[in-house]
Amino acid sequence: MTSHQNTQTMKPATAAKKLGVYLRATPAEFQEGVVSRGELNALRADPPEWLRELRRDGPHPRPVVAAKLGVSISGLARGGVTEALTTEQIEALKRDAPEWLRQERATQAEVRREAARLREKKEHAARDAEPGRPRP
C-alpha cells in the first residue's frame, strides 16, 4: 500500500499573519487562494516586490504597529488606533509622541520589568531547589 502525502495549506489570513503583513493590502491572487507550506517558505526566503514593499511601507497589521511603537495591542486600542497604519503614520506618531503613546510605552516598560523580575525569582527558586545544594 502506498501512501500519498497531502500538501499542507493555509488560509490567506493565516499566511499573511505568519508573514507579518496586512491581508487587505496583499494582491488579490494572494487573498483569494490558499498558500501551501512550501509557498510560504518560498515567500519568506525570496519575497516578491509586493511583499518587500508591504513590509517596508505598510499598511502594517496591528501586532506589527504595536511592536514598532513599543506598546501592546491593547494599548493601541486604548489610544484609538484600531486600523492598520503605514510606516509613515507610525513614524509620525513616534515624532509627535502623544500622551497616550508615552503612557502606553511606560506601561509596557513596567510590564517588561515585572516579567523580568518574576523570571529571575523563578530561576533563583529553581537553583535553590537543586539537590545537594546547601540551604541558606
Side-chain angles (χ1 to χ4, degrees):
M1 181 171 186
T2 61
S3 67
H4 79 43
Q5 189 172 0
N6 288 339
T7 303
Q8 257 188 334
T9 60
M10 62 193 81
K11 294 178 182 177
T14 303
K17 185 175 182 180
K18 289 179 181 286
L19 292 169
V21 296
Y22 186 56
L23 178 62
R24 292 185 192 163
T26 61
E29 57 271 7
F30 182 87
Q31 292 180 43
E32 295 164 1
V34 293
V35 180
S36 71
R37 177 75 56 196
E39 290 168 333
L40 179 69
N41 290 338
L43 287 169
R44 286 178 171 158
D46 186 21
E49 182 57 33
W50 66 264
L51 182 53
R52 287 194 302 270
E53 189 176 306
L54 272 179
R55 286 178 170 167
R56 181 182 58 247
D57 302 328
H60 304 285
R62 288 183 307 139
V64 173
V65 173
K68 286 179 178 276
L69 290 173
V71 300
S72 68
I73 294 173
S74 299
L76 283 180
R78 286 189 292 271
V81 178
T82 57
E83 292 298 318
L85 297 180
T86 64
T87 300
E88 187 177 308
Q89 291 169 316
I90 293 168
E91 292 305 318
L93 274 173
K94 286 179 178 179
R95 232 183 358 266
D96 298 344
E99 179 57 34
W100 72 264
L101 181 57
R102 289 193 302 272
Q103 180 61 43
E104 290 301 331
R105 283 180 164 172
T107 299
Q108 193 69 9
E110 182 57 36
V111 166
R112 288 185 184 120
R113 277 192 296 277
E114 180 63 9
R117 186 189 70 77
L118 292 174
R119 203 169 30 255
E120 178 82 14
K121 183 177 177 181
K122 186 177 179 180
E123 289 169 2
H124 281 298
R127 279 194 298 267
D128 291 345
E130 290 176 1
R133 185 171 174 95
R135 303 275 182 228

